[in-house]
Amino acid sequence: FGSRGPINEELAYSFYIDGERADGYRDGTDLNRHNYSAALSYQPSERLKATFSVDGGINDAPRYFGTPLFNGKLDKKLLRSNFNVKDSVVSYDDRIWRAKFEAQLSDDIRLTSETYHITTDRHWRNAEAASYNSASEIKRGDFLEILHDQTQTGSRVDLAINGKLGTLNSHTTVGIDWYKTRLLHGNNSPYRSPVSTVNPYYPDLGY
């Protein structure tokens, strides 16, 4: 769902939201997604404009990493099976805030500045490998958990100049870009896998 349009002669808005929920074909492949976007623009004259916006999403993704083959063949009884752990997680919570300013300083000179702030909060916890030990036993591996918490603040300024180079038209752009990033990252590397086996047809997935 979305909408956009003028508020008055100087202000305009836009916003958009969407959502999706699904149970998934296999166990553990349900998903829940919410995304949004909003902006407010202020233009007091033809030569000056400011836009403030935010975009983001909160997404819980499916946690399925494949079904093993036995003697090179897929057992059709396992088409809906998932051998990941019960408390598996694949989640993302991301957003970016922006403030953009545009100024036409003259007919040939344009200044653009954009400042932004990004936050991301991501989490993975899964058993990402499965293979047959025997016809009645599946071995799981690649047990991992990763936490990714990051913020980034930055700004970019561009100056665009139109002119002449002899008899030729020229366009020159100069700018500066800076940012500061903070990352908190945790994981269980080197991802040593405990011994974990499950029955293919009556799996006790554990945590």
Side-chain angles (χ1 to χ4, degrees):
F1 175 76
S3 177
R4 61 187 298 177
I7 299 174
N8 55 36
E9 292 183 354
E10 298 180 346
L11 292 171
Y13 76 95
S14 69
F15 74 89
Y16 170 83
I17 56 173
D18 72 62
E20 179 184 10
R21 294 178 64 96
D23 291 334
Y25 180 77
R26 293 178 174 84
D27 296 336
T29 58
D30 54 297
L31 60 88
N32 189 2
R33 297 173 177 165
H34 304 281
N35 301 292
Y36 54 88
S37 176
L40 180 66
S41 178
Y42 173 60
Q43 188 168 4
S45 70
E46 293 183 356
R47 291 181 174 268
L48 185 63
K49 183 179 180 180
T51 304
F52 306 93
S53 64
V54 59
D55 300 274
I58 302 172
N59 297 288
D60 294 316
R63 290 91 57 209
Y64 171 73
F65 295 91
T67 301
L69 304 179
F70 184 69
N71 291 333
K73 296 181 180 180
L74 175 64
D75 187 340
K76 292 184 179 180
K77 294 179 182 178
L78 304 181
L79 286 177
R80 292 181 178 270
S81 297
N82 187 352
F83 299 103
N84 204 346
V85 291
K86 286 182 181 179
D87 58 345
S88 58
V89 174
V90 177
S91 67
Y92 309 90
D93 185 354
D94 306 320
R95 65 186 55 83
I96 178 170
W97 301 82
R98 295 185 181 96
K100 184 176 182 180
F101 300 91
E102 302 168 85
Q104 192 72 42
L105 303 181
S106 70
D107 291 343
D108 296 320
I109 303 176
R110 184 175 184 82
L111 179 68
T112 304
S113 172
E114 182 177 72
T115 300
Y116 63 87
H117 180 68
I118 301 171
T119 63
T120 65
D121 185 4
R122 302 176 180 181
H123 189 190
W124 298 265
R125 181 174 58 234
N126 302 285
E128 297 191 356
S131 59
Y132 275 92
N133 265 353
S134 65
S136 61
E137 189 175 74
I138 287 179
K139 179 182 178 181
R140 299 184 301 176
D142 291 353
F143 288 82
L144 62 83
E145 183 163 18
I146 300 173
L147 298 170
H148 178 112
D149 184 3
Q150 183 176 6
T151 61
Q152 180 170 313
T153 302
S155 184
R156 182 175 63 248
V157 180
D158 299 314
L159 185 67
I161 304 171
N162 295 319
K164 287 283 189 178
L165 186 61
T167 59
L168 301 176
N169 293 327
S170 71
H171 180 79
T172 303
T173 302
V174 295
I176 185 171
D177 190 349
W178 72 268
Y179 63 89
K180 181 179 181 180
T181 296
R182 172 183 174 272
L183 172 64
L184 294 177
H185 179 84
N187 60 61
N188 63 325
S189 176
Y191 311 121
R192 293 188 177 93
S193 298
V195 176
S196 175
T197 58
V198 295
N199 184 293
Y201 307 105
Y202 306 100
D204 181 5
L205 299 178
Y207 295 90

